[in-house]
Amino acid sequence: MSFKFLFLLLITQSLFSQEIIDSSDNIGSNKDSIYKVEKYLLYKEQDSAIALIKKLKKSSYVNVLSRIAANNKPSYLDYTEFINSIADNPKLPYQSVSDYINLNVKEPVNEKGINLDYVKIKVNQVSKLRDDVSIEVASEIQTELDNYINAFNSNNNDVKKAKIYASIHQIVLYIIQEEIEKGKKICLENFDEAEKLGDKELMIMSLYYLCDFLVLENKLNEYIENCEKSLELEKDLKKHSPYYIGTLVHIIDAYIYKGGEDEKVKLLLRELYNEKGSTQQSYSLYAKYLGTIDLESSDAKDIFNLFNVTDIIAFSNLTSKLGEETLNPNDQYQLIREISKTLENHNYLRESVAYKDRSIVQIKKIYTQDLANSLLSYKVNQAVKEKNLSIAHAKERNRLYIIIGTLGGFLLLILTWAYYRKKKQSEVLQDKNETIETALKEKELLVKEVHHRVKNNFQIVSSLLELQTNDIEDKKALQLIEDGQNRLRSMAIIHQKLYQNKDGLIDFNDYISLLVRELASLYASDKKIDINIDIDKIYFDIDTAIPLGLIINELVTNAYKYAFKEKKEGRLNISIHKSEEDYILKVFDNGTGLNTQPNFDKIRSTGLRLVKRLAKQVYGNIEYLNMGGAYFVINFKDTTARKTIN
């Protein structure tokens, strides 16, 4: 299991929302009433809010709520404290919080310098919208923020800080697209600038996001070094930065994964547990750490004593219950998953399976169709915008030609007027072209994100299937599920290649090489299988790549399973070449071959029936020869040739 996989869920969460409000101001007997006041303010019920505030025990946060409710010149810091509180409440949809910000937190006016408190509110809003609503909506707010910042002198130190804060959105987009070099460049430039400015919080922020790219590069030691550097910088701050809790979580997870750092893990876990507002973040890490140590050891007993339990079962029951009360759905899933793995490590198999079942239920709640529908709707809207802009462009251009043709015979005065008109029209067309270019870039980002999420969804389905295999004893059923996972894997690789390429085409040689390596790793044994791939420099779109990839997946899988049972060494050849009108796929081995010449119209094998149907899908035909082993030949057509026939 890779370091990158272990930390992937941690890299896209909003960081500004981690700011901690002094819990002494909003807990205790006032807690429920404060929540009601926050709801009243969020949904514009000012009178109800003011009436309830009068009954509350006085505190600094209650004073903040009072100023906001009465509109008594609340500051941007007041709004920051209020917004952070309601944004962290899972019961309140963030779209409502964003609407509140747009309505009440206005851009500063009549101020000579830039207002960093306002900038931080908008950066936090962009981050939460990107994570919880959509990239499109977040980008609109980001554009407004950029316009505000760019109105000031870029040589001013506060403006430099504001630009570093505002760069977070682009950095996270680079993380999503796995544009590692571009993202690291921004992070390193931000760190150097923050160091010159003497702003250690911005230095910590830059290191935090730099670590996200080190995750993608699987650089564990460098990742840990940067986390340790961030914690050293934290010691120089009067108050912990918004990234402190996230850094603690990351470095603890890294130390547990690395192993051999028990003393550091115990110290940092206790620090996370004792930090105000972050106790619940420690549950899954304590669960993970317990999975790596002896439950009879003093370290395990110390943990049980901390949670006032006697054993791992009681610990699991307690923390999962606490997680339901305090954690968001993603963190709940992470906690349940770690508990299940720890119980399995210590041979509590029945309890482990029960928690795995709970994790399946939890992840089904998380991955709904809402996001996919939203992305597809956005794609359609962008396509419509692009078409309308093209039509408007053409109309304006035709109008210009008519004017020039009609007035072409006039003298110098008319020609001068026509020149002025043309120049002005060209400026309009340039603006429209820039709008189209922006829309195309947004569309490209969206398509990449769709393919990225489709790949992730395939991996989730594959993981769900893997979870179910623990309860299946029937070998045939187990084999069917494993075959299904292989097919999902072949399609997931295609979508991975699509979001990595800009032109929407797949280098098939590269794809098949990766697919065959996956299968070879999956069916690794003591047999030596020599694999030869001979494929022209061919690019296919998704409509050809998916069925063709599945065909090769089935034939190569069959070869690994059955061809070399009686041999210690074998040879497997895969080739694709273009003929005059078609493409020819050949997959052959020097194994035992099939017992009889198959009739593909009546074949009973599930795999070969699938191959026949997939070949038909690409207008192909399949032929089998027994030439010192199984020899499959498939003639097929690419998408362009199939459209010509249609």
Side-chain angles (χ1 to χ4, degrees):
M1 185 178 293
S2 71
F3 165 63
K4 173 179 173 182
F5 176 78
L6 286 174
F7 290 90
L8 199 54
L9 292 177
L10 299 174
I11 66 175
T12 59
Q13 296 179 355
S14 169
L15 268 297
F16 278 86
S17 60
Q18 292 179 14
E19 291 190 22
I20 302 169
I21 300 171
D22 187 350
S23 61
S24 64
D25 288 338
N26 62 354
I27 63 173
S29 60
N30 275 12
K31 183 176 180 181
D32 293 338
S33 296
I34 285 177
Y35 172 65
K36 289 181 181 178
V37 171
E38 291 174 337
K39 282 189 66 177
Y40 288 146
L41 292 176
L42 182 63
Y43 295 113
K44 306 175 188 176
E45 300 177 25
Q46 310 297 118
D47 293 340
S48 299
I50 292 172
L52 186 53
I53 287 172
K54 293 178 180 178
K55 301 177 183 179
L56 292 175
K57 180 181 177 181
K58 296 301 179 183
S59 67
S60 63
Y61 184 57
V62 170
N63 292 336
V64 168
L65 296 175
S66 180
R67 287 192 292 272
I68 293 175
N71 198 21
N72 184 18
K73 298 181 180 179
S75 68
Y76 287 109
L77 287 177
D78 289 339
Y79 281 123
T80 296
E81 195 167 358
F82 171 64
I83 291 166
N84 284 343
S85 180
I86 58 177
D88 288 338
N89 191 329
K91 298 178 181 179
L92 299 175
Y94 189 76
Q95 184 61 63
S96 298
V97 179
S98 179
D99 293 340
Y100 177 88
I101 295 172
N102 294 336
L103 183 64
N104 295 279
V105 185
K106 301 297 184 181
E107 184 177 302
V109 294
N110 301 325
E111 291 190 10
K112 294 182 180 179
I114 195 167
N115 191 307
L116 282 178
D117 294 327
Y118 170 76
V119 169
K120 291 179 182 180
I121 290 174
K122 301 304 285 185
V123 169
N124 184 33
Q125 183 185 12
V126 170
S127 295
K128 292 290 288 184
L129 284 171
R130 182 183 60 245
D131 294 343
D132 298 344
V133 182
S134 75
I135 289 178
E136 179 187 20
V137 177
S139 296
E140 291 175 359
I141 302 298
Q142 179 71 31
T143 300
E144 296 174 5
L145 176 60
D146 290 338
N147 292 337
Y148 169 71
I149 295 173
N150 292 333
F152 295 93
N153 185 346
S154 60
N155 292 322
N156 179 271
N157 285 346
D158 281 347
V159 175
K160 292 177 180 178
K161 293 179 182 180
K163 288 187 175 182
I164 295 175
Y165 283 123
S167 68
I168 291 176
H169 184 58
Q170 184 59 63
I171 290 172
V172 174
L173 293 182
Y174 282 145
I175 293 171
I176 293 172
Q177 300 173 79
E178 298 191 18
E179 294 279 0
I180 296 174
E181 294 305 319
K182 293 180 180 178
K184 287 178 68 175
K185 183 175 183 291
I186 295 178
C187 292
L188 292 171
E189 290 174 349
N190 284 350
F191 182 85
D192 291 340
E193 187 66 44
E195 192 171 30
K196 292 177 184 176
L197 295 169
D199 193 318
K200 294 190 176 180
E201 181 173 306
L202 283 178
M203 292 168 66
I204 292 168
M205 184 193 84
S206 304
L207 291 175
Y208 187 96
Y209 285 104
L210 177 62
C211 284
D212 292 338
F213 293 101
L214 297 176
V215 168
L216 297 175
E217 292 181 307
N218 288 325
K219 294 182 177 179
L220 176 59
N221 290 330
E222 191 173 342
Y223 179 94
I224 292 175
E225 289 172 5
N226 279 278
C227 288
E228 290 175 337
K229 188 175 182 180
S230 293
L231 294 179
E232 283 298 315
L233 290 169
E234 290 279 356
K235 295 178 181 178
D236 297 329
L237 301 178
K238 294 181 179 179
K239 178 183 177 182
H240 286 314
S241 76
Y243 311 93
Y244 176 65
I245 300 303
T247 303
L248 275 181
V249 170
H250 288 182
I251 195 170
I252 293 169
D253 214 355
Y255 277 142
I256 293 174
Y257 174 79
K258 182 180 180 181
E261 302 286 357
D262 286 357
E263 293 304 318
K264 291 182 179 179
V265 170
K266 289 187 291 183
L267 184 64
L268 291 169
L269 274 172
R270 183 56 70 98
E271 187 173 347
L272 180 65
Y273 180 87
N274 291 332
E275 186 71 22
K276 289 182 179 179
S278 69
T279 301
Q280 65 272 21
Q281 299 293 330
S282 70
Y283 298 158
S284 64
L285 292 170
Y286 269 119
K288 177 178 283 190
Y289 181 55
L290 283 169
T292 66
I293 62 176
D294 184 356
L295 296 181
E296 298 299 324
S297 66
S298 59
D299 291 339
K301 293 187 184 302
D302 288 343
I303 295 173
F304 294 152
N305 290 335
L306 177 65
F307 285 87
N308 198 23
V309 296
T310 57
D311 54 38
I312 188 63
I313 301 298
F315 170 86
S316 301
N317 293 337
L318 175 63
T319 53
S320 63
K321 182 178 179 181
L322 292 173
E324 290 176 0
E325 299 171 355
T326 59
L327 295 174
N328 63 45
N330 282 315
D331 289 339
Q332 287 181 42
Y333 166 73
Q334 188 72 8
L335 171 60
I336 296 169
R337 180 171 171 270
E338 293 300 342
I339 290 173
S340 175
K341 289 169 62 179
T342 294
L343 290 170
E344 183 180 1
N345 289 346
H346 293 294
N347 291 320
Y348 290 95
L349 301 182
R350 186 177 65 181
E351 291 83 357
S352 172
V353 169
Y355 275 98
K356 279 188 179 180
D357 290 341
R358 286 178 59 182
S359 72
I360 293 171
V361 172
Q362 182 67 18
I363 205 167
K364 284 180 179 178
K365 292 179 182 178
I366 297 171
Y367 289 93
T368 65
Q369 292 297 318
D370 292 343
L371 178 59
N373 292 338
S374 174
L375 291 171
L376 290 174
S377 174
Y378 172 59
K379 181 179 179 181
V380 171
N381 290 337
Q382 289 301 109
V384 171
K385 281 184 183 179
E386 181 182 345
K387 183 176 181 180
N388 290 339
L389 285 171
S390 298
I391 293 172
H393 187 122
K395 286 181 178 179
E396 294 291 343
R397 183 177 56 195
N398 291 338
R399 182 183 175 192
L400 179 62
Y401 290 162
I402 292 172
I403 292 174
I404 293 175
T406 303
L407 302 179
F410 284 89
L411 297 175
L412 182 61
L413 181 61
I414 304 300
L415 289 174
T416 303
W417 178 85
Y419 172 77
Y420 173 78
R421 177 79 176 182
K422 182 177 180 181
K423 181 180 179 182
K424 186 171 178 124
Q425 194 65 43
S426 296
E427 291 174 354
V428 173
L429 294 175
Q430 183 178 356
D431 289 341
K432 293 182 181 295
N433 282 331
E434 290 174 357
T435 302
I436 291 173
E437 184 177 353
T438 300
L440 286 172
K441 288 180 179 178
E442 291 176 352
K443 176 184 174 184
E444 179 182 334
L445 173 61
L446 175 66
V447 170
K448 282 191 172 185
E449 187 174 2
V450 167
H451 284 302
H452 181 69
R453 291 185 180 275
V454 169
K455 184 207 76 170
N456 285 347
N457 286 339
F458 275 132
Q459 290 178 338
I460 289 168
V461 173
S462 180
S463 297
L464 291 175
L465 290 174
E466 184 176 355
L467 287 173
Q468 293 300 323
T469 58
N470 292 333
D471 298 324
I472 296 175
E473 297 181 356
D474 185 272
K475 291 185 178 180
K476 185 174 182 181
L478 191 61
Q479 184 62 58
L480 289 173
I481 289 179
E482 290 176 351
D483 290 344
Q485 286 181 278
N486 290 346
R487 293 160 187 154
L488 287 171
R489 186 178 294 106
S490 71
M491 290 187 286
I493 293 172
I494 286 176
H495 285 281
Q496 176 183 330
K497 292 297 180 184
L498 283 171
Y499 78 71
Q500 291 173 346
N501 294 335
K502 292 184 177 180
D503 55 8
L505 296 176
I506 298 167
D507 183 339
F508 214 67
N509 192 325
D510 184 37
Y511 163 65
I512 291 303
S513 298
L514 179 56
L515 176 61
V516 170
R517 283 200 303 271
E518 291 271 350
L519 292 173
S521 174
L522 185 64
Y523 293 102
S525 68
D526 57 349
K527 298 181 184 297
K528 182 179 179 182
I529 309 301
D530 182 24
I531 302 173
N532 179 44
I533 298 174
D534 180 16
I535 298 177
D536 293 339
K537 196 67 174 175
I538 298 173
Y539 293 84
F540 291 130
D541 63 13
I542 190 171
D543 291 333
T544 301
I546 283 183
L548 200 57
L550 286 170
I551 288 173
I552 294 173
N553 179 81
E554 293 302 319
L555 295 179
V556 172
T557 297
N558 282 347
Y560 269 103
K561 285 182 180 179
Y562 308 115
F564 308 112
K565 288 184 176 180
E566 300 176 4
K567 292 186 174 184
K568 292 187 177 180
E569 296 184 357
R571 186 176 69 256
L572 177 62
N573 296 281
I574 304 169
S575 69
I576 300 178
H577 299 291
K578 193 175 189 323
S579 64
E580 294 182 0
E581 297 180 357
D582 297 339
Y583 290 85
I584 301 174
L585 164 66
K586 297 179 181 178
V587 179
F588 55 96
D589 58 66
N590 66 341
T592 57
L594 301 182
N595 293 331
T596 59
Q597 181 70 25
N599 183 345
F600 288 98
D601 293 329
K602 299 179 180 180
I603 195 74
R604 298 186 63 183
S605 166
T606 302
L608 291 180
R609 277 190 304 176
L610 178 60
V611 169
K612 180 179 181 296
R613 291 184 181 181
L614 292 168
K616 186 176 181 182
Q617 189 174 328
V618 290
Y619 288 27
N621 57 73
I622 180 170
E623 181 181 0
Y624 171 79
L625 302 171
N626 197 333
M627 300 174 60
Y631 195 112
F632 292 90
V633 180
I634 299 174
N635 294 280
F636 66 95
K637 301 181 184 296
D638 61 14
T639 302
T640 303
R642 297 200 300 273
K643 287 181 178 179
T644 303
I645 295 174
N646 289 336

